[in-house]
Amino acid sequence: DLAPRPAGARADFLPGTPDLSLFPRAAWAAAQRGVLAELPHQALGYPDPRGLPRLRTALAELLARRRGVVADPERVIVVSGVAQATTLLGFVLHARGVRAIGVEDPGSPEHGALYASAGLDAVPLPLDGEGLASGPLKESGVRAVVTTPAHQFPSGIAYSARRRTELLDWARSVDGLVVEDDYDGDFRYDRAPVGALQGLDPERVAYTGSVSKSLAPGLRLGWLLVPAALAEEVVERKRTMDLGNPVVDQALLARFVERGDYDRQLRRCQRAYRERRDTLVSALEEHFPGTEVSGIAAGLHVIAVLPGRYGPPEYFLERTAAAGVAVRPLTDYGRTVERTDVRLVLGYAHQSPARIRDGVRLMAQALRA
Ligand SMILES: Cc1ncc(COP(=O)(O)O)c(C=O)c1O
């Protein structure tokens, strides 16, 4: 979700942004100095459009270890974020005659917008409690689909093991492609995260992720792993698009990963975000008793379904907006979302526990006023 932060809001629960004040400035600066000292002049020329071999090796190790991705460095393509990975795949699929791609409903509005820019129609497909619903997927006739299986955005469910298998069976049966957007797969607070779908069938899944949630979205750095059958076309698209990602940034991230700084950063964020999630859940219990928080303990946001007495949704949103509390209803993210209750997508990661508590209190006051 790329919605801009509201400038004058008294409380801000918009989802999608990590805590930018946790950016590891000192470690990043040290890595930058190290990289500038060690990079030979030769390395400052045009890079391999797939990315620096050193970074692809570091990412392959990282993604295999942390996410169970089948990640030969030769398969890794460095991109400027999930957004660029999406656009590249869109162009390649379009060139192969694909004109429609399934997207989760509810889902990230960015997916549809990015595929549209490549000439593909996004076909919204409903979810059930286990993931993308199998029946509607089969009936839709699409042969490519975008998914967020580790932590569905925005509903917050993790795809069940059965649904993962069904999804891959479907992809094989239609000679299709599953795109796996692992946008926040590193953040799971109650157990080790479920491994990537790509690990189960690397020839049917294109896997993408970025540092946007773990370091900062402004770095514009991410990765894409594609089935062998698509690799050459994707790399050629990447080449003609921008001749590759900036070399210094790539070397920097490689060094950052190699030296364990990236793992340290993930642990630090993980601790902070778990505490913030717990704070939000308990503040909701205190100020909005009976609220049902759904979704696994993961990522940067929760779904909160408020008891009927706080509705209807239009009234709730009017009152919170008037009080300067920025919130997004789940209905903003899909057509198949229940419209009777107040269902909110509440981002918590970008703010301190104190601000979270104050924000929930303000929200409650807005409704009493
Ligand atoms: C589900 C999801 N995927 C991808 C992105 C974009 O990621 P990136 O910054 O890596 O391009 C966003 C942005 O917030 C998102 O919400």
Side-chain angles (χ1 to χ4, degrees), residues 253-272:
L253 181 61
R255 190 178 160 112
F256 206 75
V257 172
E258 287 161 4
R259 300 194 164 212
D261 290 319
Y262 192 75
D263 286 289
R264 257 188 295 284
Q265 168 71 2
L266 288 176
R267 284 197 295 274
R268 186 160 166 243
C269 294
Q270 176 101 7
R271 274 196 299 276

Side-chain angles (χ1 to χ4, degrees), residues 1-3 15-17 80-86 107-111 114 148 151 153 181-184 208-213 216-218 220-222:
D1 180 10
L2 307 178
T17 311
S80 66
V82 170
Q84 187 180 51
T86 303
S108 170
E110 283 309 311
H111 290 146
L114 291 164
T148 49
H151 185 225
F153 186 86
D181 175 355
D182 201 22
Y183 70 107
D184 71 356
T208 178
S210 73
V211 302
S212 292
K213 312 294 187 209
R220 307 312 303 139
L221 267 170

Side-chain angles (χ1 to χ4, degrees), residues 30-50:
Q32 192 154 40
R33 277 192 304 278
V35 154
L36 288 173
E38 78 198 2
L39 267 190
H41 300 319
Q42 202 56 35
L44 296 172
Y46 288 109
D48 181 332
R50 291 176 300 172

